[in-house]
Amino acid sequence: MSTRKPPVVLAFSGGLDTSFCVPYLRERGHDVITLFVDTGGVDPAERAYIEARARELGAVEHVTHDGAQAIWDSVVVPLVIGGQLYQDVYPLLVSDRYIIVEQSLALADARGTRLFAHGCTGMGNDQVRFDQTVRSLGDYDILAPIRDIQAEHAPVRAYEAAFLQARGFPVRAKTARYSINVNLLGVTASGSEIDEFEAPGDETWQLCAHPSTWPREPLRLTLDFEHGEAVRLDGEALPGPEILRRLNTMLGAHGVGRGIYTGDTTIGLKGRIVFEAPGIIGLMTAHRALEEAILTSHQNSFKPQVARKWVDLVYRGFFFEPLKRDLEAFLRASQRVVHGSVTLETHGGAVLPVAVRSPHILRNKHAVYAQSADWSATEAEGFIRLHGMSSTLSARVNPVRPVPKDS
């Protein structure tokens, strides 16, 4: 009678944590099916390495799934439409986790198992994103080997590397030092001196060129939007993922989109990372310039409140929360007439929207701010009088400064 346990689908990236998971799970009686969801951050050579790595470690099957379009549709478009960053800094670069889990569970269903495994630690946000997504999408059992070992082995990453090396599996030097995530959105790096609040090492530069290598001449490019979604780059119609790939290369060469962020994580710790998101920053800069010229003042003032809540839910693991879907419906509805083109220009590691063109700009041909008007001075004075009536009455009835007494 077989003592083998049911097979498990492991979300696999080829990094230190998920590499450790394969032999760890095999030694506990599971056949391991690895799934690499390519969310747009690796080249064909890296894809081939990840597949070879999985088989080397003992996976009985390895599957690669292209998730770039899914991350564009489900994350990039609503993020850019919303125009908000987590804590005003961070562009949700690890939101590919939700697509990874969704595809992993689909593979588990296809292979007839209810076991899903991930390589998250018990110290970070990703465990929340993975576990909550699993619970939102169905009835599955979650295996988390890194959480299993962390109570007995610290530091965890050093133990993982030693575990693999003892079994004859080499460990990439970079993965032993940093935890690096690459996807269509950009790159995040943590670990080592980053966690210690020291200056990040040179290996953390991935997409964004160092200032010493920036081109002398600024870059100019044009993005066209339809319903708030980027559809053309420099006049060429392209799929969304390809637009973002090209922007990452073009803007990254000028140093756009690199940041160092210390955030309030879901589990309560401070999390410090280096991130690089040239394309996302370019898209958000262009979209905002177009949108703020087209939407009404009420839309422009209210929409960020909705978008901030959407960002907060996505950051904290609630990608499949019904409220997130409701908020997204509002954000997409707000883009009904957000059509036009924006020209971006790089300046010293930053990018500016230098030109905006759209037939939907709220422009009064008879009036230009601070230049000309199609109303009279009397009408302007009357508007100011009525607009400030409440404050004026308060100042008279309840003055802030005491009224001087007659001498």
Side-chain angles (χ1 to χ4, degrees), residues 161-180:
F163 178 94
L164 289 169
Q165 289 165 345
R167 287 155 179 79
F169 302 122
V171 176
R172 280 174 161 177
K174 184 183 293 187
T175 61
R177 183 177 182 188
Y178 298 110
S179 177
I180 296 177

Side-chain angles (χ1 to χ4, degrees), residues 11 35 37-39 65-76 94-106 129-130 133 137 185 319-320 324:
L35 173 66
V37 180
D38 182 356
T39 51
H65 177 83
D66 189 344
Q69 189 63 49
I71 198 172
W72 172 267
D73 294 336
S74 300
V75 179
V76 176
V94 294
S95 299
D96 62 333
R97 279 30 177 174
Y98 304 112
I99 286 86
I100 292 170
V101 175
E102 195 170 19
Q103 292 301 321
S104 297
L105 298 184
R129 299 180 183 117
F130 273 81
T133 299
L137 293 179
L185 291 161
F319 197 79
F320 294 96
K324 179 256 186 186

Side-chain angles (χ1 to χ4, degrees), residues 6-331:
V8 55
V9 171
L10 169 67
F12 186 75
S13 69
L16 177 61
D17 293 328
T18 58
S19 292
F20 167 83
C21 290
V22 178
Y24 179 90
L25 291 168
R26 288 182 62 237
E27 291 176 11
R28 280 148 186 80
H30 295 283
D31 286 336
V32 180
I33 303 167
T34 52
L35 173 66
F36 172 61
V37 180
D38 182 356
T39 51
V42 301
D43 58 22
E46 184 68 11
R47 270 198 187 200
Y49 166 80
I50 291 169
E51 179 174 358
R53 179 67 164 170
R55 297 193 183 282
E56 172 194 33
L57 292 164
V60 297
E61 180 185 3
H62 179 78
V63 177
T64 299
H65 177 83
D66 189 344
Q69 189 63 49
I71 198 172
W72 172 267
D73 294 336
S74 300
V75 179
V76 176
V77 173
L79 175 64
V80 171
I81 285 174
Q84 299 298 303
L85 303 171
Y86 181 67
Q87 294 187 331
D88 300 322
V89 179
Y90 178 58
L92 300 181
L93 296 188
V94 294
S95 299
D96 62 333
R97 279 30 177 174
Y98 304 112
I99 286 86
I100 292 170
V101 175
E102 195 170 19
Q103 292 301 321
S104 297
L105 298 184
L107 181 59
D109 292 342
R111 298 298 183 268
T113 182
R114 311 305 291 174
L115 293 183
F116 166 72
H118 61 68
C120 300
T121 73
M123 295 86 78
N125 287 328
D126 274 348
Q127 60 178 329
V128 181
R129 299 180 183 117
F130 273 81
D131 285 18
Q132 184 55 50
T133 299
V134 172
R135 294 190 172 98
S136 293
L137 293 179
D139 182 19
Y140 300 86
D141 292 324
I142 302 169
L143 304 180
I146 311 303
R147 288 198 303 225
D148 291 345
I149 66 170
Q150 69 182 48
E152 298 178 7
H153 304 285
V156 173
R157 294 181 66 79
Y159 174 78
E160 293 173 54
F163 178 94
L164 289 169
Q165 289 165 345
R167 287 155 179 79
F169 302 122
V171 176
R172 280 174 161 177
K174 184 183 293 187
T175 61
R177 183 177 182 188
Y178 298 110
S179 177
I180 296 177
N181 180 76
V182 184
N183 61 45
L184 186 66
L185 291 161
V187 177
T188 63
S190 61
S192 192
E193 73 280 352
I194 301 172
D195 291 348
E196 299 300 322
F197 289 83
E198 300 293 339
D202 289 341
E203 288 182 331
T204 63
W205 293 85
Q206 303 280 318
L207 289 178
C208 298
H210 191 276
S212 62
T213 67
W214 291 350
R216 295 178 63 87
E217 296 299 319
L219 168 72
R220 273 202 176 195
L221 60 87
T222 300
L223 287 163
D224 292 313
F225 293 84
E226 294 178 3
H227 300 293
E229 180 176 350
V231 294
R232 283 181 292 277
L233 173 59
D234 287 333
E236 183 181 359
L238 294 167
E242 182 60 23
I243 290 177
L244 192 48
R245 287 189 189 98
R246 294 192 187 186
L247 289 176
N248 280 334
T249 300
M250 297 167 70
L251 295 174
H254 290 258
V256 173
R258 181 174 169 88
I260 301 175
Y261 159 72
T262 301
D264 293 312
T265 68
T266 302
I267 61 170
L269 296 174
K270 294 291 183 182
R272 187 173 189 251
I273 62 169
V274 171
F275 69 86
E276 296 173 302
I280 286 294
I281 297 304
L283 283 171
M284 295 182 81
T285 299
H287 177 269
R288 178 168 185 168
L290 178 64
E291 180 186 73
E292 64 190 9
I294 292 173
L295 300 188
T296 69
S297 62
H298 295 291
Q299 288 175 300
N300 280 329
S301 64
F302 179 75
K303 191 174 78 70
Q305 300 176 53
V306 177
R308 277 192 291 272
K309 185 61 179 179
W310 184 92
V311 165
D312 190 69
L313 289 172
V314 173
Y315 179 85
R316 296 187 183 281
F318 296 105
F319 197 79
F320 294 96
E321 158 64 36
L323 176 60
K324 179 256 186 186
R325 181 181 63 242
D326 298 339
L327 298 173
E328 196 168 304
F330 169 83
L331 293 174

